[in-house]
Amino acid sequence: MSLSLSRERNSEEITSFQNLNPSFKSLGLIDPLLEAIEQLDYKTPTDIQVEALPPALEGRDIIGVASTGSGKTAAFALPILQKLWDEPKGLFACVLAPTRELAYQISQQFEALGSAMGVRCTVLVGGMDMVTQSIALAKKPHIVVATPGRLKDHLENTKGFSLRGLKFLVLDEADRLLDMDFGPDIDGILKAIPKERTTYLFSATMTTKVAKLQRASLSNPVRVEVFYGVHLVQYYLFVPLSQKDVHLVYLANSLAQNSIMIFTRTVHDAQRLSIVLRNLGFAAIPLHGQLSQSQRLGSLNKFQSGSRKILVAQIGLDIPTVDIVINFDIPTHSKDYIHRVGRTARAGRAGKSITLVTQYDVELIQRIETVIGKKMDLWPTEKDEIALLRERVEEACRLTATELREEGGKGHRKRRRGGREDKDDTETKEDGDAI
């Protein structure tokens, strides 16, 4: 964690330092929020909460550079809820998130922290019925959490809905919002909201695009930087391309007591690997862009509850506790790597990430090592154990290929009958979300 601290008058830059055990009460939170915090069993504030809450409660704009797991959702939710307690009227805050799953998670945290206040949240994401969402908006929620494309759809098409009275705007995981080409949608949203507002922008990395967005949307912000990762041990495993599957199964087998997230580049591999692992007796479940929203949330809930130990994901999401992150496919962008491995070693806890590197990925791994400023360690393997697994894995892959062909045939017949789902549910953008 960075230990330096510097401040400037116009754009204060605050780098997190070791505080002397501050409490949520000492940060100035009101009793209804303290009650909710106690019910949620939050013991002490995280570093980003310690640094961001005081200026946020004073009404300042915040730009936070923080990795996943730093406690940033509560860092922006708590000051919004405290202000809402003082001015309980109308649509109060809008949070933009890059993925459907993250939007639902943010909404759940707002409702949990605002439970003593009766806060009402509405989630607007692709893949769900617009009319149902319009009805929810008509009930005058306090907080709207949305993916940018769907929010813009409602601004343009839902009668009576506007953001003209908005008091707070939050841009969460701003680097991913911009990488996923939501820029034009965000520009349209910024034009539809009051200039007199409070804005919070959080990002795991500071890119040129994020800096430009900061200048366009924030006024005289306090800048807070908190970097976790000292407890994250990052490994690589060099494997021939043809042997990726067996090495993945070897890792799943040797790490079987842990919760594991496996990231793939494509929908097909997320579905295929989850079936391969299940055929070999592992409690694995997929999460990708071709699942319906209810299927996505079902996968997420099963993994979070512990009934499934392995989640094979093609899309990004935010999960509180994961022991191991495995990159089956190495991300082509270093920022995606940072987001993925940030799913483990959260809020100072220990964690491991393992990236499978083929002969075609050497340049990519070197680029990532340059960005993170360190060389990854080689994950140790037992060649004899891998050799013993090979035949079983090949058989599981053959069974899986048959299953996928049969599923594909059923899907083709269903589409011919006109039974295809909402097109938003078939979005396949890597680590992305349907608009």
Side-chain angles (χ1 to χ4, degrees):
M1 186 184 301
S2 177
L3 299 178
S4 63
L5 176 67
S6 63
R7 290 178 181 266
E8 292 181 6
R9 191 65 180 169
N10 291 328
S11 181
E12 301 175 28
E13 297 198 7
I14 304 176
T15 306
S16 178
F17 59 96
Q18 190 67 35
N19 294 274
L20 299 176
N21 300 318
S23 66
F24 283 105
K25 187 172 184 178
S26 71
L27 295 176
L29 294 175
I30 56 176
D31 288 340
L33 295 178
L34 294 174
E35 290 173 20
I37 287 167
E38 186 175 352
Q39 290 176 358
L40 292 169
D41 201 29
Y42 291 177
K43 300 298 185 185
T44 56
T46 65
D47 287 343
I48 196 164
Q49 292 161 8
V50 168
E51 301 298 348
L53 282 173
L57 292 170
E58 292 174 4
R60 298 289 300 277
D61 283 7
I62 303 291
I63 177 166
V65 182
S67 58
T68 303
S70 57
K72 59 184 171 61
T73 304
F76 63 71
L78 288 168
I80 290 173
L81 292 170
Q82 181 138 321
K83 190 66 174 176
L84 178 62
W85 179 262
D86 296 331
E87 302 177 21
K89 55 184 179 183
L91 177 55
F92 200 74
C94 177
V95 184
L96 297 181
T99 66
R100 305 174 189 179
E101 286 68 35
L102 182 56
Y104 278 103
Q105 290 165 349
I106 292 170
S107 175
Q108 289 165 3
Q109 190 149 8
F110 262 102
E111 289 177 344
L113 290 169
S115 57
M117 302 166 53
V119 69
R120 298 188 305 276
C121 293
T122 291
V123 178
L124 306 177
V125 296
M128 305 298 282
D129 182 57
M130 284 275 290
V131 174
T132 303
Q133 292 175 351
S134 299
I135 293 170
L137 288 172
K139 295 179 180 178
K140 306 298 183 185
H142 301 112
I143 314 291
V144 166
V145 188
T147 49
R150 180 50 63 97
L151 177 62
K152 194 160 182 290
D153 284 346
H154 279 287
L155 286 170
E156 292 172 349
N157 301 307
T158 298
K159 188 176 180 180
F161 172 61
S162 80
L163 299 174
R164 286 192 295 270
L166 198 71
K167 302 295 184 183
F168 284 87
L169 174 68
V170 181
L171 301 156
D172 194 20
E173 298 201 1
D175 49 354
R176 295 182 64 207
L177 282 169
L178 296 172
D179 282 345
M180 291 164 59
D181 299 325
F182 283 131
D185 294 324
I186 294 172
D187 289 342
I189 292 165
L190 289 175
K191 292 175 183 176
I193 62 178
K195 290 184 178 180
E196 294 297 322
R197 65 174 190 274
T198 303
T199 305
Y200 303 146
L201 183 152
F202 285 85
S203 182
T205 58
M206 273 304 295
T207 64
T208 303
K209 288 181 180 178
V210 173
K212 184 178 179 181
L213 179 60
Q214 172 200 339
R215 291 191 294 271
S217 59
L218 279 78
S219 174
N220 190 26
V222 174
R223 177 169 168 143
V224 181
E225 294 190 29
V226 176
F227 295 104
Y228 287 105
V230 291
H231 300 289
L232 171 63
V233 186
Q234 302 174 68
Y235 295 93
Y236 75 94
L237 182 54
F238 192 73
V239 301
L241 180 63
S242 61
Q243 295 182 26
K244 284 180 78 173
D245 288 354
V246 69
H247 280 81
L248 179 69
V249 172
Y250 168 79
L251 291 174
N253 194 48
S254 58
L255 298 166
Q257 300 307 311
N258 298 275
S259 60
I260 302 173
M261 280 190 69
I262 300 169
F263 281 103
T264 68
R265 185 173 295 127
T266 66
V267 166
H268 175 75
D269 270 340
Q271 185 70 18
R272 181 182 69 83
L273 290 172
S274 66
I275 298 173
V276 168
L277 289 165
R278 285 204 301 270
N279 284 336
L280 291 167
F282 295 96
I285 195 163
L287 182 70
H288 56 69
Q290 287 188 354
L291 297 176
S292 69
Q293 190 60 42
S294 60
Q295 288 173 322
R296 288 182 177 192
L297 294 175
S299 292
L300 196 56
N301 290 335
K302 287 176 183 177
F303 184 66
Q304 289 180 309
S305 69
S307 65
R308 299 291 188 274
K309 298 288 286 185
I310 300 175
L311 183 70
V312 189
Q314 171 263 341
I315 54 179
L317 68 165
D318 190 32
I319 291 180
T321 53
V322 179
D323 300 321
I324 310 288
V325 167
I326 298 175
N327 286 304
F328 180 78
D329 295 310
I330 189 167
T332 52
H333 299 292
S334 301
K335 295 189 294 295
D336 292 335
Y337 174 85
I338 292 169
H339 278 289
R340 289 182 180 186
V341 301
R343 269 62 191 174
T344 188
R346 294 169 60 96
R349 289 187 292 268
K352 297 183 180 70
S353 69
I354 307 166
T355 299
L356 299 186
V357 182
T358 73
Q359 62 269 36
Y360 305 107
D361 301 324
V362 175
E363 184 179 344
L364 288 173
I365 198 72
Q366 289 174 340
R367 191 183 307 160
I368 289 171
E369 287 178 333
T370 299
V371 170
I372 64 176
K374 64 191 298 185
K375 292 285 186 182
M376 297 184 200
D377 299 319
L378 178 65
W379 182 264
T381 56
E382 294 290 338
K383 291 184 178 180
D384 291 343
E385 289 186 27
I386 294 171
L388 289 171
L389 283 170
R390 189 166 297 149
E391 188 174 336
R392 290 182 58 205
V393 172
E394 289 174 352
E395 177 59 25
C397 288
R398 284 192 291 271
L399 288 172
T400 299
T402 301
E403 288 183 46
L404 288 172
R405 280 195 298 272
E406 291 174 353
E407 286 180 9
K410 291 177 183 176
H412 179 67
R413 288 192 294 274
K414 181 179 179 181
R415 285 191 295 274
R416 288 186 64 183
R417 291 196 303 270
R420 187 174 178 179
E421 295 190 59
D422 186 332
K423 67 179 180 179
D424 278 351
D425 288 327
T426 62
E427 181 68 50
T428 59
K429 185 183 296 183
E430 182 190 1
D431 277 355
D433 185 62
I435 293 175

